[in-house]
Coordinates of all heavy atoms in Angstrom, one line a residue:
S138 N -12.1 8.9 6.7 CA -11.8 9.0 8.1 C -12.0 10.4 8.7 O -12.5 10.5 9.8 CB -10.3 8.5 8.4 OG -10.1 7.2 8.1
L139 N -11.7 11.4 7.8 CA -11.9 12.8 8.3 C -13.3 13.2 8.2 O -13.7 14.1 9.0 CB -11.1 13.7 7.3 CG -9.5 13.6 7.5 CD1 -8.9 14.2 6.2 CD2 -9.1 14.4 8.7
G140 N -14.1 12.7 7.3 CA -15.4 13.2 7.1 C -15.5 14.4 6.2 O -16.5 15.0 6.0
H141 N -14.4 14.7 5.5 CA -14.4 15.8 4.6 C -13.2 15.7 3.6 O -12.3 14.9 3.8 CB -14.3 17.2 5.2 CG -13.0 17.4 6.1 ND1 -11.8 17.7 5.5 CD2 -12.8 17.3 7.4 CE1 -10.9 17.8 6.5 NE2 -11.5 17.6 7.6
S142 N -13.2 16.4 2.5 CA -12.2 16.3 1.5 C -11.0 17.2 1.9 O -11.1 18.0 2.8 CB -12.7 16.7 0.1 OG -13.2 18.1 0.2
F143 N -9.9 17.0 1.1 CA -8.8 17.9 1.3 C -8.1 18.2 0.0 O -8.5 17.6 -1.0 CB -7.7 17.3 2.3 CG -7.1 16.0 1.8 CD1 -5.9 16.1 1.1 CD2 -7.6 14.8 2.1 CE1 -5.3 14.9 0.6 CE2 -7.0 13.6 1.7 CZ -5.9 13.7 0.9
N144 N -7.2 19.1 -0.1 CA -6.7 19.7 -1.3 C -5.6 18.8 -1.9 O -4.6 18.5 -1.3 CB -6.2 21.1 -1.0 CG -6.0 21.9 -2.3 OD1 -6.6 21.6 -3.4 ND2 -5.2 23.0 -2.2
Y145 N -5.9 18.4 -3.2 CA -4.8 17.7 -3.9 C -4.9 18.1 -5.4 O -5.9 18.5 -5.9 CB -4.9 16.2 -3.7 CG -6.1 15.5 -4.3 CD1 -6.1 15.1 -5.6 CD2 -7.2 15.3 -3.5 CE1 -7.2 14.4 -6.1 CE2 -8.4 14.7 -4.0 CZ -8.3 14.2 -5.3 OH -9.4 13.6 -5.9
E146 N -3.8 17.8 -6.1 CA -3.7 18.0 -7.5 C -3.0 16.9 -8.2 O -2.3 16.1 -7.5 CB -3.0 19.3 -7.8 CG -1.5 19.3 -7.5 CD -0.8 20.6 -7.9 OE1 -1.5 21.6 -8.3 OE2 0.4 20.6 -7.7
I147 N -3.2 16.7 -9.5 CA -2.5 15.7 -10.3 C -1.3 16.4 -10.9 O -1.4 17.4 -11.6 CB -3.4 15.1 -11.4 CG1 -4.7 14.6 -10.8 CG2 -2.6 14.1 -12.1 CD1 -4.5 13.5 -9.8
G148 N -0.1 15.8 -10.7 CA 1.1 16.2 -11.3 C 1.7 15.2 -12.3 O 1.1 14.1 -12.5
P149 N 2.9 15.5 -12.8 CA 3.5 14.5 -13.8 C 4.0 13.3 -13.0 O 4.2 13.3 -11.8 CB 4.6 15.3 -14.4 CG 5.0 16.4 -13.3 CD 3.6 16.7 -12.7
R150 N 4.3 12.3 -13.7 CA 4.9 11.1 -13.1 C 6.2 11.4 -12.5 O 6.9 12.3 -12.9 CB 5.1 10.0 -14.2 CG 3.9 9.4 -14.8 CD 4.2 8.3 -15.7 NE 3.0 7.7 -16.4 CZ 3.0 6.5 -17.0 NH1 4.2 5.9 -17.2 NH2 1.9 6.0 -17.6
R151 N 6.5 10.7 -11.4 CA 7.8 10.9 -10.7 C 8.8 9.8 -11.1 O 8.5 8.7 -11.2 CB 7.5 10.8 -9.2 CG 8.7 11.1 -8.3 CD 8.3 11.2 -6.9 NE 7.6 10.0 -6.4 CZ 7.2 9.8 -5.2 NH1 7.2 10.8 -4.3 NH2 6.6 8.7 -4.8
E152 N 10.0 10.3 -11.4 CA 11.1 9.4 -11.8 C 11.3 8.3 -10.8 O 11.4 8.6 -9.6 CB 12.4 10.2 -12.1 CG 13.5 9.4 -12.6 CD 14.8 10.2 -12.8 OE1 14.8 11.4 -12.6 OE2 15.8 9.6 -13.3
G153 N 11.4 7.0 -11.3 CA 11.8 5.9 -10.4 C 10.6 5.2 -9.9 O 10.7 4.2 -9.2
D154 N 9.3 5.7 -10.1 CA 8.1 5.0 -9.6 C 7.7 3.9 -10.5 O 7.6 4.0 -11.8 CB 7.0 6.0 -9.5 CG 7.0 6.8 -8.2 OD1 7.8 6.5 -7.3 OD2 6.3 7.9 -8.2
L155 N 7.4 2.7 -9.9 CA 6.8 1.6 -10.7 C 5.2 1.8 -10.7 O 4.7 2.3 -9.7 CB 7.1 0.3 -10.0 CG 8.6 -0.1 -10.1 CD1 8.7 -1.4 -9.3 CD2 9.0 -0.3 -11.5
P156 N 4.5 1.4 -11.7 CA 3.1 1.5 -11.7 C 2.4 0.7 -10.6 O 1.5 1.2 -9.9 CB 2.7 1.0 -13.1 CG 3.9 1.1 -13.9 CD 5.0 0.9 -13.0
V157 N 2.8 -0.5 -10.5 CA 2.2 -1.5 -9.5 C 3.2 -2.3 -8.8 O 4.2 -2.8 -9.4 CB 1.2 -2.4 -10.3 CG1 0.6 -3.4 -9.3 CG2 0.2 -1.7 -11.1
A158 N 3.1 -2.4 -7.5 CA 4.0 -3.2 -6.7 C 3.2 -3.7 -5.4 O 2.8 -2.9 -4.6 CB 5.2 -2.4 -6.2
Y159 N 3.1 -5.0 -5.3 CA 2.5 -5.6 -4.1 C 3.1 -7.0 -3.9 O 3.6 -7.6 -4.8 CB 1.0 -5.6 -4.1 CG 0.3 -6.4 -5.2 CD1 -0.2 -7.6 -4.9 CD2 0.1 -5.9 -6.5 CE1 -0.9 -8.4 -5.8 CE2 -0.5 -6.7 -7.4 CZ -1.0 -7.9 -7.1 OH -1.7 -8.7 -8.1
A160 N 2.9 -7.5 -2.7 CA 3.6 -8.7 -2.3 C 2.8 -10.0 -2.4 O 1.6 -10.0 -2.2 CB 4.1 -8.5 -0.8
N161 N 3.5 -11.1 -2.7 CA 3.0 -12.4 -2.4 C 3.5 -12.7 -0.9 O 4.7 -12.7 -0.7 CB 3.5 -13.4 -3.4 CG 3.0 -14.8 -3.1 OD1 3.1 -15.3 -1.9 ND2 2.5 -15.5 -4.1
T162 N 2.6 -12.9 0.0 CA 3.0 -13.0 1.4 C 2.9 -14.5 2.0 O 3.0 -14.7 3.2 CB 2.1 -12.1 2.3 OG1 0.7 -12.5 2.1 CG2 2.3 -10.7 1.9
L163 N 2.8 -15.4 1.1 CA 2.6 -16.8 1.5 C 3.8 -17.4 2.3 O 3.6 -18.0 3.3 CB 2.4 -17.7 0.3 CG 2.0 -19.2 0.6 CD1 0.8 -19.3 1.4 CD2 1.9 -20.0 -0.7
K164 N 5.0 -17.1 1.9 CA 6.2 -17.6 2.6 C 6.2 -17.1 4.1 O 6.5 -17.9 5.0 CB 7.4 -17.2 1.9 CG 8.7 -17.8 2.5 CD 9.9 -17.4 1.7 CE 11.2 -18.0 2.3 NZ 12.4 -17.6 1.5
A165 N 6.0 -15.8 4.3 CA 6.0 -15.3 5.7 C 4.9 -15.9 6.5 O 5.0 -16.1 7.7 CB 5.8 -13.7 5.6
K166 N 3.7 -16.1 5.9 CA 2.6 -16.8 6.6 C 3.0 -18.2 7.0 O 2.7 -18.6 8.1 CB 1.3 -16.8 5.7 CG 0.7 -15.4 5.5 CD -0.5 -15.5 4.6 CE -1.1 -14.1 4.3 NZ -2.2 -14.2 3.4
E167 N 3.6 -18.9 6.1 CA 3.8 -20.3 6.4 C 5.0 -20.5 7.3 O 5.0 -21.4 8.2 CB 4.1 -21.1 5.0 CG 2.9 -21.2 4.2 CD 3.1 -22.0 2.9 OE1 4.3 -22.2 2.5 OE2 2.2 -22.4 2.3
I168 N 6.1 -19.8 7.1 CA 7.3 -20.0 7.9 C 7.4 -19.1 9.2 O 7.7 -19.6 10.2 CB 8.5 -19.8 7.0 CG1 8.5 -20.8 5.9 CG2 9.8 -19.9 7.8 CD1 9.6 -20.7 4.9
L169 N 7.1 -17.9 9.0 CA 7.2 -17.0 10.2 C 5.9 -16.9 11.0 O 5.8 -16.4 12.1 CB 7.5 -15.5 9.7 CG 8.8 -15.3 9.0 CD1 9.0 -13.8 8.7 CD2 10.0 -15.9 9.8
Q170 N 4.8 -17.5 10.4 CA 3.5 -17.4 11.1 C 3.1 -15.9 11.2 O 2.5 -15.5 12.2 CB 3.5 -18.1 12.4 CG 3.9 -19.5 12.4 CD 3.0 -20.4 11.5 OE1 1.8 -20.4 11.7 NE2 3.6 -21.1 10.6
F171 N 3.4 -15.1 10.2 CA 3.1 -13.7 10.2 C 2.1 -13.4 9.2 O 2.1 -13.8 8.0 CB 4.4 -12.9 9.9 CG 4.1 -11.4 9.6 CD1 3.8 -10.6 10.7 CD2 4.0 -10.9 8.3 CE1 3.5 -9.3 10.5 CE2 3.7 -9.6 8.1 CZ 3.5 -8.8 9.2
C172 N 1.1 -12.6 9.6 CA 0.0 -12.1 8.7 C -0.4 -10.7 9.2 O -0.7 -10.5 10.3 CB -1.2 -13.1 8.8 SG -2.5 -12.6 7.6
A173 N -0.3 -9.8 8.3 CA -0.7 -8.4 8.6 C -2.2 -8.4 8.8 O -3.0 -9.0 8.1 CB -0.3 -7.4 7.4
K174 N -2.6 -7.6 9.8 CA -4.1 -7.7 10.3 C -4.8 -6.4 10.0 O -6.0 -6.3 9.9 CB -4.1 -8.0 11.8 CG -3.5 -9.4 12.1 CD -3.6 -9.6 13.6 CE -2.9 -10.9 14.0 NZ -2.9 -11.2 15.4
R175 N -4.1 -5.2 10.0 CA -4.8 -3.9 10.0 C -5.1 -3.5 8.5 O -4.4 -3.7 7.6 CB -3.9 -2.9 10.7 CG -3.7 -3.1 12.2 CD -2.6 -2.3 12.7 NE -2.4 -2.4 14.1 CZ -1.7 -3.4 14.7 NH1 -1.1 -4.3 14.0 NH2 -1.6 -3.4 16.1
S176 N -6.3 -2.8 8.4 CA -6.8 -2.4 7.1 C -6.3 -1.0 6.7 O -5.7 -0.3 7.5 CB -8.3 -2.3 7.2 OG -8.7 -1.3 8.1
I177 N -6.6 -0.6 5.5 CA -6.2 0.7 5.0 C -6.9 1.8 5.9 O -6.3 2.9 6.1 CB -6.5 0.9 3.5 CG1 -5.7 2.1 3.0 CG2 -8.0 0.9 3.2 CD1 -4.2 1.9 2.9
D178 N -8.1 1.5 6.3 CA -8.8 2.5 7.2 C -8.1 2.6 8.5 O -8.0 3.7 9.0 CB -10.3 2.0 7.4 CG -11.1 2.2 6.2 OD1 -10.8 3.0 5.3 OD2 -12.1 1.5 6.0

């Protein structure tokens, strides 16, 4: 999005962080008629 890089470094793991977490969203789609539309970009 920026068109250039920025400064970052790799540090140690942070206490309390899970490696992977993402949702199954089927229930919200079916019952609430809700679906997220926007991308990571």
Side-chain angles (χ1 to χ4, degrees):
S138 295
L139 288 162
H141 61 81
S142 61
F143 65 91
N144 196 18
Y145 67 88
E146 66 177 7
I147 305 300
R150 293 186 182 191
R151 184 170 57 180
E152 185 180 0
D154 278 346
L155 295 175
V157 181
Y159 65 99
N161 179 310
T162 59
L163 183 61
K164 184 177 179 182
K166 289 177 183 177
E167 290 184 344
I168 297 177
L169 299 184
Q170 304 300 305
F171 169 75
C172 183
K174 299 176 181 178
R175 294 166 175 84
S176 69
I177 195 72
D178 289 336

